Amino acid sequence: MSAEAWRLPRRSSFGRSHVHAVAGCYFVASFAALGLPPYLTQILPEFGDGSARWAGVLYVVPTVFGALGAPFWGRLADRFGRKRLLLRAQLGLTVAFLLAGWADSLATFTVALILQGVLGGTFAASNGYLGAALEGSALSKALTLMQGSARAALVVAPIVVGALSGWLSPHRQYALLAVLPLTAALLLAALPEPSEEGPAESIPGTTVSAPASAPVVSLRTLYALEFAFVFSTVISFPYLISLVEDQLPGTSATLSGVLFALPHLVYLVSALAVHAAVRDRPRTGIVLGFACIALGLAGHGVADSLSALIAVRLVLGAGLTLGLVSLSVLAADCAKGRAPGGMFGSLEFFSKAGAVAAGLAAAAGSARFGPAAPVLTGSGAAVLTVLAAPFLLNPHSHRARWSR
């Protein structure tokens, strides 16, 4: 990322190196959280669950408890310091991963996953920390980078875990990968506490942000859009490989993995360019994002060739990128004048609630109607959000621009 990209109003000495440090620490700390759950079907037989019938439930356990804990930890961060609570989240993951790696029973392993959800929350804690130090376009760009860290971990972590499985079982890798959030905590300890920073100042050659005015969307609308976006996209994750195998018999596991990763790769290569395009028109961006998601997911149900699948995955990637970046811009706008810990903690609650609802809907739909049901359900949810956009988005805000 260029230095020019970060020449924006910011507070005191908090700069792009700090933002990159926070994003990098989130990337390494999320390895176990994102890379190991796909291997639950290999882990559970070690605890006597030969058919891994509990895999689906345990997959969402950290998400459920993370959703319940996020608002609480966010409020504590506003009260006692965002840096302290960010360190707490990283150390909490360390404890949970160590317990999971050394668990010798299904009950102990389940407790470890519950603790991962309750004590973790590194994404919300990182965003709250950044929200206390940055504002406006600088904050939305930082949130876009944080989403890039999440996408990169989602792509890389399962591959690394799979490569290590020949030497160490995924179960024991929890203990090994606990060193990553511990390392992240040590690195984050050197960063400043945002609440101790001075008033906002501008960098030579830039324009200082205008005085705060009404946000583009209300906080409730932001939460609703976050829930709808996560539901629409995550619902396609669990059964995508089954759908690919059903439509293209004989597809290799490697190719299926590439198809799974393709939308996230689109985000990684285009997020900053999309941010520059939608930062002044986030309402347009979010509507276009949901439209692309609806089109891309619907296309999954009829794609009958490799080229068609690649095309619809790219369309979904465009929607994923437009949606995530636009939500980052809207979240940064809503954060002005609010305690960032509480706001981002609540936003994480709705994000995780959307993921849990998507997982349950995907399981129910796939069991009854086959592997194409989740993508069609996600497409329907995205269409409904586009239709509801005129009512959800505030048409009276003078800051909301559908075009320049």
Side-chain angles (χ1 to χ4, degrees):
M1 188 176 296
S2 67
E4 183 67 25
W6 291 100
R7 290 187 177 180
L8 295 160
R10 56 183 172 87
R11 295 180 186 174
S12 191
S13 59
F14 199 96
R16 60 183 179 129
S17 61
H18 297 107
V19 175
H20 291 164
V22 174
C25 287
Y26 174 73
F27 173 79
V28 299
S30 61
F31 245 72
L34 297 177
L36 286 167
Y39 294 88
L40 283 173
T41 53
Q42 297 181 23
I43 293 173
L44 294 184
E46 298 183 31
F47 300 124
D49 183 11
S51 61
R53 64 183 184 278
W54 290 104
V57 174
L58 293 181
Y59 193 93
V60 300
V61 161
T63 305
V64 170
F65 284 91
L68 296 175
F72 171 74
W73 292 121
R75 288 191 293 270
L76 284 186
D78 291 327
R79 182 175 180 182
F80 296 108
R82 289 91 184 184
K83 177 182 173 180
R84 291 172 184 165
L85 271 292
L86 177 54
L87 292 174
R88 176 217 57 78
Q90 298 285 8
L91 294 175
L93 279 185
T94 302
V95 172
F97 292 161
L98 285 174
L99 181 60
W102 295 110
D104 56 3
S105 68
L106 183 58
T108 305
F109 186 73
T110 302
V111 169
L113 295 182
I114 292 174
L115 289 177
Q116 178 187 327
V118 172
L119 300 179
T122 53
F123 191 74
S126 298
N127 287 347
Y129 176 84
L130 293 171
L134 302 168
E135 63 180 16
S137 184
L139 176 56
S140 65
K141 191 178 272 92
L143 298 179
T144 298
L145 183 63
M146 284 295 298
Q147 284 289 353
S149 293
R151 302 301 122 189
L154 192 61
V155 172
V156 176
I159 298 174
V160 173
V161 171
L164 290 175
S165 295
W167 294 273
L168 188 66
S169 71
H171 171 211
R172 300 304 181 190
Q173 284 187 47
Y174 269 103
L176 173 65
L177 296 179
V179 71
L180 295 178
L182 179 60
T183 302
L186 295 175
L187 294 174
L188 290 169
L191 296 183
E193 171 60 61
S195 63
E196 298 173 356
E197 296 293 326
E201 64 178 24
S202 62
I203 299 176
T206 64
T207 303
V208 180
S209 298
S213 55
V216 172
V217 299
S218 69
L219 202 54
R220 289 183 178 180
T221 297
L222 176 65
Y223 293 157
L225 290 172
E226 180 76 15
F227 179 93
F229 178 82
V230 172
F231 179 89
S232 299
T233 53
V234 171
I235 195 172
S236 68
F237 291 178
Y239 298 96
L240 177 68
I241 302 301
S242 298
L243 178 63
V244 171
E245 293 175 350
D246 185 62
Q247 294 179 327
L248 298 177
T251 302
S252 67
T254 300
L255 181 56
S256 296
V258 171
L259 289 171
F260 181 90
L262 199 53
H264 308 293
L265 294 175
V266 171
Y267 182 94
L268 291 175
V269 301
S270 63
L272 285 181
V274 171
H275 180 273
V278 306
R279 65 186 176 190
D280 293 325
R281 50 177 76 86
R283 297 198 307 163
T284 304
I286 194 67
V287 173
L288 288 176
F290 274 107
C292 289
I293 290 168
L295 182 61
L297 288 178
H300 283 66
V302 296
D304 56 0
S305 67
L306 178 59
S307 59
L309 268 176
I310 291 174
V312 297
R313 294 299 286 170
L314 290 174
V315 172
L316 179 60
L320 185 79
T321 305
L322 282 164
L324 285 172
V325 173
S326 298
L327 284 170
S328 294
V329 175
L330 293 173
D333 186 59
C334 284
K336 292 179 180 178
R338 288 190 171 93
M343 195 207 86
F344 283 107
S346 296
L347 188 63
E348 184 73 356
F349 170 83
F350 285 96
S351 176
K352 291 186 180 298
V356 172
L360 296 175
S366 180
R368 185 171 179 84
F369 301 107
V375 294
L376 297 179
T377 302
S379 178
V383 169
L384 289 176
T385 306
V386 171
L387 295 176
F391 306 98
L392 284 173
L393 301 174
N394 179 8
H396 303 297
S397 173
H398 66 278
R399 296 182 60 216
R401 300 172 225 169
W402 290 87
S403 61
R404 288 193 181 278

PDB file of all heavy atoms in Angstrom, residues 287-311:
ATOM      1  N   VAL A 287     -25.663  -1.180  -2.592  1.00  0.00           N
ATOM      2  CA  VAL A 287     -26.744  -1.712  -3.428  1.00  0.00           C
ATOM      3  C   VAL A 287     -26.174  -2.522  -4.587  1.00  0.00           C
ATOM      4  O   VAL A 287     -26.658  -3.629  -4.893  1.00  0.00           O
ATOM      5  CB  VAL A 287     -27.640  -0.571  -3.944  1.00  0.00           C
ATOM      6  CG1 VAL A 287     -28.650  -1.101  -4.958  1.00  0.00           C
ATOM      7  CG2 VAL A 287     -28.373   0.093  -2.781  1.00  0.00           C
ATOM      8  N   LEU A 288     -25.143  -1.990  -5.249  1.00  0.00           N
ATOM      9  CA  LEU A 288     -24.501  -2.749  -6.330  1.00  0.00           C
ATOM     10  C   LEU A 288     -23.890  -4.039  -5.808  1.00  0.00           C
ATOM     11  O   LEU A 288     -23.924  -5.083  -6.482  1.00  0.00           O
ATOM     12  CB  LEU A 288     -23.422  -1.893  -7.002  1.00  0.00           C
ATOM     13  CG  LEU A 288     -23.904  -0.739  -7.872  1.00  0.00           C
ATOM     14  CD1 LEU A 288     -22.716   0.067  -8.394  1.00  0.00           C
ATOM     15  CD2 LEU A 288     -24.747  -1.254  -9.034  1.00  0.00           C
ATOM     16  N   GLY A 289     -23.335  -3.984  -4.597  1.00  0.00           N
ATOM     17  CA  GLY A 289     -22.761  -5.181  -4.005  1.00  0.00           C
ATOM     18  C   GLY A 289     -23.799  -6.276  -3.816  1.00  0.00           C
ATOM     19  O   GLY A 289     -23.582  -7.435  -4.201  1.00  0.00           O
ATOM     20  N   PHE A 290     -24.945  -5.927  -3.239  1.00  0.00           N
ATOM     21  CA  PHE A 290     -26.008  -6.921  -3.040  1.00  0.00           C
ATOM     22  C   PHE A 290     -26.545  -7.421  -4.385  1.00  0.00           C
ATOM     23  O   PHE A 290     -26.893  -8.610  -4.518  1.00  0.00           O
ATOM     24  CB  PHE A 290     -27.142  -6.338  -2.209  1.00  0.00           C
ATOM     25  CG  PHE A 290     -26.926  -6.453  -0.724  1.00  0.00           C
ATOM     26  CD1 PHE A 290     -26.598  -5.343   0.034  1.00  0.00           C
ATOM     27  CD2 PHE A 290     -27.044  -7.680  -0.090  1.00  0.00           C
ATOM     28  CE1 PHE A 290     -26.399  -5.454   1.406  1.00  0.00           C
ATOM     29  CE2 PHE A 290     -26.842  -7.809   1.279  1.00  0.00           C
ATOM     30  CZ  PHE A 290     -26.519  -6.692   2.033  1.00  0.00           C
ATOM     31  N   ALA A 291     -26.609  -6.538  -5.384  1.00  0.00           N
ATOM     32  CA  ALA A 291     -27.081  -6.959  -6.703  1.00  0.00           C
ATOM     33  C   ALA A 291     -26.129  -7.985  -7.318  1.00  0.00           C
ATOM     34  O   ALA A 291     -26.570  -9.001  -7.888  1.00  0.00           O
ATOM     35  CB  ALA A 291     -27.226  -5.743  -7.616  1.00  0.00           C
ATOM     36  N   CYS A 292     -24.822  -7.748  -7.203  1.00  0.00           N
ATOM     37  CA  CYS A 292     -23.837  -8.703  -7.731  1.00  0.00           C
ATOM     38  C   CYS A 292     -23.884 -10.018  -6.958  1.00  0.00           C
ATOM     39  O   CYS A 292     -23.734 -11.100  -7.548  1.00  0.00           O
ATOM     40  CB  CYS A 292     -22.435  -8.107  -7.667  1.00  0.00           C
ATOM     41  SG  CYS A 292     -22.127  -6.780  -8.858  1.00  0.00           S
ATOM     42  N   ILE A 293     -24.077  -9.938  -5.642  1.00  0.00           N
ATOM     43  CA  ILE A 293     -24.187 -11.157  -4.839  1.00  0.00           C
ATOM     44  C   ILE A 293     -25.397 -11.970  -5.287  1.00  0.00           C
ATOM     45  O   ILE A 293     -25.312 -13.193  -5.458  1.00  0.00           O
ATOM     46  CB  ILE A 293     -24.287 -10.802  -3.340  1.00  0.00           C
ATOM     47  CG1 ILE A 293     -22.946 -10.269  -2.839  1.00  0.00           C
ATOM     48  CG2 ILE A 293     -24.705 -12.022  -2.513  1.00  0.00           C
ATOM     49  CD1 ILE A 293     -23.015  -9.638  -1.472  1.00  0.00           C
ATOM     50  N   ALA A 294     -26.532 -11.291  -5.478  1.00  0.00           N
ATOM     51  CA  ALA A 294     -27.743 -11.989  -5.924  1.00  0.00           C
ATOM     52  C   ALA A 294     -27.520 -12.660  -7.272  1.00  0.00           C
ATOM     53  O   ALA A 294     -27.879 -13.835  -7.467  1.00  0.00           O
ATOM     54  CB  ALA A 294     -28.907 -11.001  -6.005  1.00  0.00           C
ATOM     55  N   LEU A 295     -26.912 -11.940  -8.200  1.00  0.00           N
ATOM     56  CA  LEU A 295     -26.674 -12.485  -9.532  1.00  0.00           C
ATOM     57  C   LEU A 295     -25.670 -13.623  -9.490  1.00  0.00           C
ATOM     58  O   LEU A 295     -25.866 -14.679 -10.114  1.00  0.00           O
ATOM     59  CB  LEU A 295     -26.174 -11.371 -10.451  1.00  0.00           C
ATOM     60  CG  LEU A 295     -25.909 -11.743 -11.910  1.00  0.00           C
ATOM     61  CD1 LEU A 295     -27.188 -12.225 -12.578  1.00  0.00           C
ATOM     62  CD2 LEU A 295     -25.329 -10.566 -12.679  1.00  0.00           C
ATOM     63  N   GLY A 296     -24.576 -13.424  -8.748  1.00  0.00           N
ATOM     64  CA  GLY A 296     -23.549 -14.447  -8.679  1.00  0.00           C
ATOM     65  C   GLY A 296     -24.034 -15.729  -8.026  1.00  0.00           C
ATOM     66  O   GLY A 296     -23.784 -16.829  -8.532  1.00  0.00           O
ATOM     67  N   LEU A 297     -24.750 -15.616  -6.913  1.00  0.00           N
ATOM     68  CA  LEU A 297     -25.242 -16.819  -6.230  1.00  0.00           C
ATOM     69  C   LEU A 297     -26.297 -17.532  -7.062  1.00  0.00           C
ATOM     70  O   LEU A 297     -26.316 -18.775  -7.126  1.00  0.00           O
ATOM     71  CB  LEU A 297     -25.805 -16.448  -4.861  1.00  0.00           C
ATOM     72  CG  LEU A 297     -24.784 -16.046  -3.800  1.00  0.00           C
ATOM     73  CD1 LEU A 297     -25.475 -15.660  -2.507  1.00  0.00           C
ATOM     74  CD2 LEU A 297     -23.786 -17.185  -3.535  1.00  0.00           C
ATOM     75  N   ALA A 298     -27.189 -16.780  -7.692  1.00  0.00           N
ATOM     76  CA  ALA A 298     -28.194 -17.417  -8.553  1.00  0.00           C
ATOM     77  C   ALA A 298     -27.524 -18.174  -9.688  1.00  0.00           C
ATOM     78  O   ALA A 298     -27.969 -19.266 -10.075  1.00  0.00           O
ATOM     79  CB  ALA A 298     -29.151 -16.356  -9.107  1.00  0.00           C
ATOM     80  N   GLY A 299     -26.427 -17.612 -10.200  1.00  0.00           N
ATOM     81  CA  GLY A 299     -25.710 -18.285 -11.274  1.00  0.00           C
ATOM     82  C   GLY A 299     -25.099 -19.611 -10.861  1.00  0.00           C
ATOM     83  O   GLY A 299     -24.931 -20.511 -11.705  1.00  0.00           O
ATOM     84  N   HIS A 300     -24.780 -19.759  -9.566  1.00  0.00           N
ATOM     85  CA  HIS A 300     -24.239 -21.033  -9.089  1.00  0.00           C
ATOM     86  C   HIS A 300     -25.221 -22.181  -9.316  1.00  0.00           C
ATOM     87  O   HIS A 300     -24.809 -23.323  -9.533  1.00  0.00           O
ATOM     88  CB  HIS A 300     -23.917 -20.950  -7.597  1.00  0.00           C
ATOM     89  CG  HIS A 300     -22.652 -20.217  -7.283  1.00  0.00           C
ATOM     90  ND1 HIS A 300     -22.489 -18.874  -7.516  1.00  0.00           N
ATOM     91  CD2 HIS A 300     -21.475 -20.655  -6.740  1.00  0.00           C
ATOM     92  CE1 HIS A 300     -21.276 -18.502  -7.133  1.00  0.00           C
ATOM     93  NE2 HIS A 300     -20.641 -19.560  -6.666  1.00  0.00           N
ATOM     94  N   GLY A 301     -26.507 -21.855  -9.237  1.00  0.00           N
ATOM     95  CA  GLY A 301     -27.500 -22.917  -9.366  1.00  0.00           C
ATOM     96  C   GLY A 301     -27.642 -23.459 -10.767  1.00  0.00           C
ATOM     97  O   GLY A 301     -28.175 -24.567 -10.944  1.00  0.00           O
ATOM     98  N   VAL A 302     -27.177 -22.711 -11.773  1.00  0.00           N
ATOM     99  CA  VAL A 302     -27.345 -23.155 -13.160  1.00  0.00           C
ATOM    100  C   VAL A 302     -26.017 -23.354 -13.879  1.00  0.00           C
ATOM    101  O   VAL A 302     -26.007 -23.849 -15.016  1.00  0.00           O
ATOM    102  CB  VAL A 302     -28.209 -22.145 -13.951  1.00  0.00           C
ATOM    103  CG1 VAL A 302     -29.615 -22.084 -13.368  1.00  0.00           C
ATOM    104  CG2 VAL A 302     -27.571 -20.753 -13.940  1.00  0.00           C
ATOM    105  N   ALA A 303     -24.906 -22.971 -13.247  1.00  0.00           N
ATOM    106  CA  ALA A 303     -23.599 -23.136 -13.896  1.00  0.00           C
ATOM    107  C   ALA A 303     -23.306 -24.616 -14.092  1.00  0.00           C
ATOM    108  O   ALA A 303     -23.300 -25.386 -13.138  1.00  0.00           O
ATOM    109  CB  ALA A 303     -22.513 -22.486 -13.051  1.00  0.00           C
ATOM    110  N   ASP A 304     -23.059 -25.012 -15.338  1.00  0.00           N
ATOM    111  CA  ASP A 304     -22.839 -26.430 -15.635  1.00  0.00           C
ATOM    112  C   ASP A 304     -21.496 -26.685 -16.321  1.00  0.00           C
ATOM    113  O   ASP A 304     -21.282 -27.729 -16.927  1.00  0.00           O
ATOM    114  CB  ASP A 304     -23.969 -26.964 -16.514  1.00  0.00           C
ATOM    115  CG  ASP A 304     -24.125 -26.165 -17.811  1.00  0.00           C
ATOM    116  OD1 ASP A 304     -23.351 -25.201 -18.015  1.00  0.00           O
ATOM    117  OD2 ASP A 304     -25.025 -26.502 -18.608  1.00  0.00           O
ATOM    118  N   SER A 305     -20.595 -25.711 -16.227  1.00  0.00           N
ATOM    119  CA  SER A 305     -19.257 -25.891 -16.792  1.00  0.00           C
ATOM    120  C   SER A 305     -18.266 -25.151 -15.921  1.00  0.00           C
ATOM    121  O   SER A 305     -18.641 -24.280 -15.113  1.00  0.00           O
ATOM    122  CB  SER A 305     -19.194 -25.355 -18.225  1.00  0.00           C
ATOM    123  OG  SER A 305     -19.356 -23.945 -18.244  1.00  0.00           O
ATOM    124  N   LEU A 306     -16.987 -25.485 -16.074  1.00  0.00           N
ATOM    125  CA  LEU A 306     -15.960 -24.837 -15.265  1.00  0.00           C
ATOM    126  C   LEU A 306     -15.900 -23.344 -15.560  1.00  0.00           C
ATOM    127  O   LEU A 306     -15.797 -22.526 -14.633  1.00  0.00           O
ATOM    128  CB  LEU A 306     -14.602 -25.488 -15.542  1.00  0.00           C
ATOM    129  CG  LEU A 306     -13.407 -24.883 -14.786  1.00  0.00           C
ATOM    130  CD1 LEU A 306     -13.623 -24.960 -13.283  1.00  0.00           C
ATOM    131  CD2 LEU A 306     -12.116 -25.591 -15.200  1.00  0.00           C
ATOM    132  N   SER A 307     -15.988 -22.967 -16.823  1.00  0.00           N
ATOM    133  CA  SER A 307     -15.922 -21.546 -17.172  1.00  0.00           C
ATOM    134  C   SER A 307     -17.103 -20.784 -16.580  1.00  0.00           C
ATOM    135  O   SER A 307     -16.953 -19.636 -16.120  1.00  0.00           O
ATOM    136  CB  SER A 307     -15.892 -21.369 -18.691  1.00  0.00           C
ATOM    137  OG  SER A 307     -17.045 -21.947 -19.289  1.00  0.00           O
ATOM    138  N   ALA A 308     -18.290 -21.411 -16.572  1.00  0.00           N
ATOM    139  CA  ALA A 308     -19.466 -20.757 -15.987  1.00  0.00           C
ATOM    140  C   ALA A 308     -19.295 -20.583 -14.485  1.00  0.00           C
ATOM    141  O   ALA A 308     -19.644 -19.531 -13.924  1.00  0.00           O
ATOM    142  CB  ALA A 308     -20.724 -21.557 -16.287  1.00  0.00           C
ATOM    143  N   LEU A 309     -18.748 -21.587 -13.818  1.00  0.00           N
ATOM    144  CA  LEU A 309     -18.523 -21.488 -12.376  1.00  0.00           C
ATOM    145  C   LEU A 309     -17.502 -20.404 -12.043  1.00  0.00           C
ATOM    146  O   LEU A 309     -17.672 -19.646 -11.086  1.00  0.00           O
ATOM    147  CB  LEU A 309     -18.066 -22.835 -11.819  1.00  0.00           C
ATOM    148  CG  LEU A 309     -19.150 -23.772 -11.284  1.00  0.00           C
ATOM    149  CD1 LEU A 309     -18.546 -25.106 -10.858  1.00  0.00           C
ATOM    150  CD2 LEU A 309     -19.898 -23.130 -10.122  1.00  0.00           C
ATOM    151  N   ILE A 310     -16.459 -20.330 -12.838  1.00  0.00           N
ATOM    152  CA  ILE A 310     -15.459 -19.284 -12.624  1.00  0.00           C
ATOM    153  C   ILE A 310     -16.104 -17.907 -12.783  1.00  0.00           C
ATOM    154  O   ILE A 310     -15.868 -16.991 -11.986  1.00  0.00           O
ATOM    155  CB  ILE A 310     -14.280 -19.450 -13.601  1.00  0.00           C
ATOM    156  CG1 ILE A 310     -13.473 -20.706 -13.251  1.00  0.00           C
ATOM    157  CG2 ILE A 310     -13.378 -18.221 -13.572  1.00  0.00           C
ATOM    158  CD1 ILE A 310     -12.373 -21.032 -14.244  1.00  0.00           C
ATOM    159  N   ALA A 311     -16.962 -17.778 -13.811  1.00  0.00           N
ATOM    160  CA  ALA A 311     -17.610 -16.493 -14.062  1.00  0.00           C
ATOM    161  C   ALA A 311     -18.500 -16.071 -12.896  1.00  0.00           C
ATOM    162  O   ALA A 311     -18.442 -14.922 -12.436  1.00  0.00           O
ATOM    163  CB  ALA A 311     -18.427 -16.558 -15.355  1.00  0.00           C
TER     164      ALA A 311
END
